[in-house]
Amino acid sequence: MIKRPNFFQWSQGAYVTPTWPPGARSSRPISGLNDYTLKQMSNRTGSRRQRAAEDGERSLIGPPSGRARDSLLDQDVSTPFFVYLLAFCSALGGFLFGYDTGVVSGAMLLLKKEMHLSALWQELLVSSTVGAAALSALSGGFLNGRLGRRICILIASFIFCGGGIILSVAQNKGVLLVGRITVGLGIGIASMTVPVYIAEVSPPHLRGQLVTINSLFITGGQFIASVVDGAFSYLSQDGWRYMLGLSVLPAVLQFFGFIFLPESPRWLLQKGRNQEARQVLGRVRGNRNIEEEYDSIRASIEEEGKEAGSGGVVILRILSYGPTRRALIVGCGLQMFQQLSGINTVMYYSATILQMAGVREDKRAIWLAAATSATNFVFTLVGVWLVEKVGRRKLTLGSLLGTGLSLTLLAVGFLLSAQNSPPVTLHPVDSHNSTCRLYGSCELCMLDPDCGFCYLENGTSVFDSSCVPVNPGSTDNAAWGRCSNRTEESGSPYWAYNYCPTSYSWMVLLGLILYLASFAPGMGTMPWTVNSEIYPLWARSTGNACSAGVNWIFNVLVSLTFLHVAEYLTYYGAFFMYAGLVVLGLLFVLCCLPETKGLQLEDIENLFTRQLCSCGDLPADDSRYVHYIRQSSDFSPAYYGAVESDCAIAYITISTASSSDNRGQVSLNNLKT
Ligand SMILES: O[C@H]1[C@H](O)[C@@H](O)[C@H](O)[C@@H](O)[C@H]1O
């Protein structure tokens, strides 16, 4: 419950932003506010005037003229088209991230045949991109701070173009590897820069939605990649060149877009380029008055400099300063749990999972995998729609709950399939004495990566089944026997590698769809969105670099270990494990993630001033913070301004006297300290 303090009245006839202490926007307990007098206010107004003069700006301090006041009241509060254009062009980076991570699975089906790739080379080509993304995301923080967001986005799109060209003309696997690494470098930089850039240009009430559009573009990129995979899979010669090379188009579009688009106003201000910052802010806010925001960003930069000390290695400063250390833990934790909830086992192995659900034909599996990415995409759209309505915290919690339940359903589906796994009925003589001959059921056979299950089917019943070694050159066939040279004709045996025929496929499919529907709107999007807003400006690049790095590192870890984990724990064991990790994620979010919806970026640091994991729904009565609100004093009627969050509450009531009365009073009694 917010207690309403006695109100704060004045009518100086001045257009004033009271700031206490000068420039303070960050973690400020209210204690000491009683010292806040009209004299101090006017001093502060004076210092602001001075700062404005230093910037060579037209002073806006002083009573607005009648016309100015009217125009303030008439301000067009709609968001200018320009902000959407910026968000769109930057989110192309997200599209490329999604496209390049998504397209490889389909391209690999053709590549492995055309270039005779061994399993090791296939793994290298897939994971080199993710590994390179991890490295470049980590180093992207430095580049971002030094060169700015715009230049980093330009670099990323240039790298994407280069990578796409290398991949489409590659003549051997070595060049392919270089291309995949290059693309990964671009993905890493884009993944950490784009959300930050969008967050820094967006107005607070739209920030969540616009940053989440980047996630929409990621899943959109994955969806388009799967459609392109499906379309070009019919082109057995060079189809992969088109698949991998098509990413050049959005990269070129983004590159040219960003030649004309501006730098983030916050970064410009941090670098002391105040005039430019003011211009850009003016452009992205359209007809709105930008003074308060401009002041607030500037004040917070000054304050940050004092509080966290300037100079020194940023990551050490982040770690040694409580609020940023806590924000970093929350940011990295969210990214870690995003990956630990197994999204990329589903995204990268959806074809296998679908085969397991009874889809045997390669092409059909590719198209159904496209349906899987479409589900991810559509439900990310739900996230974009909900983020400003329900807020980040509730969206993430709801998403984790649904993700946990659907993972459990998936696991139960796999468990029932395992328990009803078809037995091995034929034991052909194995001259190589492979381990395959030892297994009595498809489940055991499937869990050995050297073996596959060869069987005949009549309706839903499996007969004449054997467990035989897989062809070392291709998992598509057995090493010998009936399944080494199958035909498409009816009566020809089926070869199941990595899965078993089952009648519980519906449960697995349902689990998969529910999983994506619950993961996409919250856990798919919020880790990126929240990270773009929880760090103060000086720590933003490095904080995002670290959390994006954590995302990519866990991405590699989970996707590379999935098949091994499944081998040791079985499929159902693996999915129960992911469900368990989701429960841990749920507890983490419940305890540690504050709500950032609607707050100005400069105010979010306040949410991390208390001990970590004391946010949630705890009443924040003993720890109140103030957010000062610019108020034109001769506006009436009385006006309240309040900022409330789970961790900190700011509340101030401003009542203005009538414009004819130029004397007023300020009282700050009863403000709880
Ligand atoms: O937010 C994205 C998205 O959910 C993608 O589908 C997934 O592949 C990425 O790893 C993740 O970071």
Side-chain angles (χ1 to χ4, degrees):
M1 258 294 287
I2 304 172
K3 282 204 197 107
R4 205 168 272 182
N6 271 5
F7 55 78
F8 168 4
Q9 286 190 331
W10 90 82
S11 71
Q12 257 195 318
Y15 187 61
V16 173
T17 304
T19 53
W20 169 87
R25 302 286 306 206
S26 55
S27 355
R28 286 293 171 214
I30 287 174
S31 55
L33 264 181
N34 295 334
D35 299 341
Y36 194 86
T37 63
L38 268 179
K39 184 163 166 254
Q40 283 171 305
M41 272 169 57
S42 88
N43 286 346
R44 260 135 226 158
T45 312
S47 68
R48 217 188 133 255
R49 211 181 265 134
Q50 195 188 336
R51 280 208 316 269
E54 280 161 20
D55 290 356
E57 69 192 51
R58 185 176 56 85
S59 175
L60 283 165
I61 305 166
S65 66
R67 262 234 317 270
R69 201 170 53 236
D70 289 349
S71 84
L72 278 169
L73 280 172
D74 292 346
Q75 271 183 54
D76 177 4
V77 286
S78 62
T79 307
F81 171 73
F82 191 52
V83 177
Y84 294 106
L85 180 70
L86 288 187
F88 172 82
C89 282
S90 359
L92 282 175
F95 180 86
L96 287 160
F97 158 177
Y99 187 88
D100 283 313
T101 49
V103 80
V104 71
S105 58
M108 203 55 74
L109 289 179
L110 303 181
L111 267 172
K112 69 180 180 193
K113 288 188 184 132
E114 217 172 305
M115 291 215 179
H116 308 290
L117 298 177
S118 64
L120 177 71
W121 266 95
Q122 291 178 44
E123 267 177 14
L124 260 180
L125 289 176
V126 175
S127 45
S128 55
T129 306
V130 187
L135 289 180
S136 77
L138 287 171
S139 53
F142 172 76
L143 293 180
N144 243 269
R146 266 285 153 90
L147 307 175
R149 326 309 188 204
R150 176 176 166 270
I151 299 287
C152 280
I153 294 180
L154 278 169
I155 294 177
S157 43
F158 184 77
I159 297 179
F160 277 126
C161 289
I165 293 173
I166 297 175
L167 285 168
S168 58
V169 300
Q171 294 299 333
N172 57 52
K173 51 194 180 195
V175 179
L176 273 177
L177 184 62
V178 173
R180 290 292 294 163
I181 292 178
T182 311
V183 160
L185 295 176
I187 296 180
I189 298 182
S191 69
M192 63 125 323
T193 310
V194 170
V196 169
Y197 180 81
I198 302 182
E200 288 186 345
V201 294
S202 306
H205 70 285
L206 272 185
R207 189 182 58 240
Q209 211 157 50
L210 292 178
V211 179
T212 310
I213 284 186
N214 182 50
S215 299
L216 184 70
F217 273 51
I218 299 177
T219 53
Q222 288 175 328
F223 169 54
I224 298 289
S226 55
V227 172
V228 168
D229 277 355
F232 286 104
S233 64
Y234 298 93
L235 213 67
S236 54
Q237 189 68 29
D238 286 346
W240 59 269
R241 291 189 193 279
Y242 299 102
M243 295 177 182
L244 299 174
L246 269 177
S247 65
V248 173
L249 297 180
V252 169
L253 188 65
Q254 188 184 45
F255 186 83
F256 284 105
F258 262 86
I259 288 185
F260 302 103
L261 293 177
E263 181 50 85
S264 145
R266 286 176 161 87
W267 183 86
L268 288 169
L269 259 168
Q270 195 189 29
K271 296 291 161 191
R273 290 158 62 177
N274 301 357
Q275 284 290 16
E276 269 175 83
R278 179 179 284 283
Q279 272 166 14
V280 176
L281 204 57
R283 277 179 83 191
V284 293
R285 294 293 173 267
N287 295 336
R288 287 177 201 212
N289 186 293
I290 59 165
E291 292 314 312
E292 184 189 354
E293 195 175 354
Y294 178 84
D295 273 354
S296 142
I297 302 171
R298 222 189 121 158
S300 92
I301 291 173
E302 285 166 10
E303 183 67 11
E304 283 168 6
K306 279 184 234 147
E307 278 188 351
S310 39
V313 184
V314 181
I315 185 68
L316 296 181
R317 282 164 61 202
I318 292 182
L319 292 174
S320 57
Y321 180 56
T324 46
R325 184 177 56 244
R326 289 175 208 123
L328 187 70
I329 295 173
V330 169
C332 292
L334 278 177
Q335 292 287 25
M336 180 182 81
F337 282 114
Q338 181 194 67
Q339 293 302 318
L340 288 182
S341 48
I343 177 65
N344 288 316
T345 63
V346 171
M347 294 308 288
Y348 301 165
Y349 296 97
S350 53
T352 309
I353 297 175
L354 288 162
Q355 278 180 333
M356 143 104 223
V359 184
R360 276 183 293 249
E361 206 201 322
D362 263 6
K363 296 229 165 44
R364 192 177 297 172
I366 290 183
W367 282 114
L368 277 169
T372 317
S373 347
T375 315
N376 197 13
F377 171 66
V378 169
F379 283 92
T380 309
L381 202 64
V382 175
V384 174
W385 178 62
L386 284 180
V387 62
E388 295 299 359
K389 289 196 165 51
V390 300
R392 291 48 163 165
R393 192 178 140 79
K394 282 190 190 138
L395 193 55
T396 314
L397 283 171
S399 165
L400 277 164
L401 193 68
T403 304
L405 290 175
S406 38
L407 277 170
T408 311
L409 185 67
L410 256 175
V412 170
F414 279 110
L415 177 66
L416 291 174
S417 306
Q419 280 175 349
N420 297 284
S421 176
V424 172
T425 53
L426 295 179
H427 295 273
V429 179
D430 182 350
S431 52
H432 294 80
N433 258 350
S434 75
T435 46
C436 310
R437 75 201 149 79
L438 304 173
Y439 304 124
S441 73
C442 175
E443 173 74 6
L444 298 172
C445 175
M446 182 231 347
L447 291 173
D448 186 335
D450 295 330
C451 311
F453 190 68
C454 185
Y455 65 99
L456 289 169
E457 202 179 61
N458 181 7
T460 51
S461 66
V462 170
F463 63 98
D464 280 356
S465 54
S466 55
C467 180
V468 284
V470 63
N471 182 341
S474 155
T475 55
D476 289 346
N477 291 306
W480 48 260
R482 294 174 301 164
C483 280
S484 61
N485 52 359
R486 294 166 301 129
T487 60
E488 296 292 302
E489 285 160 29
S490 66
S492 174
Y494 295 110
W495 169 245
Y497 180 74
N498 248 333
Y499 71 93
C500 284
T502 169
S503 46
Y504 292 95
S505 42
W506 65 270
M507 203 180 259
V508 174
L509 261 183
L510 184 68
L512 194 66
I513 291 170
L514 289 180
Y515 172 83
L516 289 167
S518 10
F519 176 89
M523 273 316 269
T525 54
M526 289 307 109
W528 297 108
T529 304
V530 169
N531 267 288
S532 71
E533 32 185 44
I534 54 178
Y535 309 100
L537 187 55
W538 62 269
R540 196 167 294 146
S541 313
T542 308
N544 273 276
C546 292
S547 59
V550 166
N551 179 292
W552 289 109
I553 291 169
F554 277 89
N555 185 333
V556 185
L557 263 175
V558 173
S559 46
L560 275 187
T561 54
F562 173 60
L563 291 180
H564 298 277
V565 171
E567 195 185 322
Y568 289 108
L569 295 183
T570 70
Y571 274 102
Y572 62 85
F575 283 105
F576 275 130
M577 183 187 86
Y578 294 129
L581 291 169
V582 165
V583 173
L584 291 183
L586 192 87
L587 294 176
F588 175 78
V589 170
L590 198 66
C591 298
C592 304
L593 179 67
E595 181 54 69
T596 49
K597 181 180 115 177
L599 294 180
Q600 194 170 308
L601 283 180
E602 282 63 36
D603 295 321
I604 291 177
E605 184 192 344
N606 285 338
L607 305 180
F608 294 94
T609 46
R610 294 208 305 180
Q611 281 308 307
L612 186 66
C613 300
S614 55
C615 300
D617 292 326
L618 293 178
D621 218 38
D622 55 339
S623 182
R624 292 177 168 222
Y625 299 91
V626 71
H627 171 116
Y628 291 94
I629 296 165
R630 172 186 283 259
Q631 170 70 18
S632 174
S633 59
D634 28 14
F635 290 172
S636 61
Y639 177 83
Y640 305 135
V643 175
E644 178 191 3
S645 85
D646 289 340
C647 276
I649 292 183
Y651 199 95
I652 194 160
T653 309
I654 303 171
S655 167
T656 57
S658 80
S659 51
S660 56
D661 178 3
N662 245 11
R663 280 169 304 153
Q665 50 165 159
V666 175
S667 68
L668 288 164
N669 308 330
N670 279 359
L671 272 172
K672 218 173 161 215
T673 55

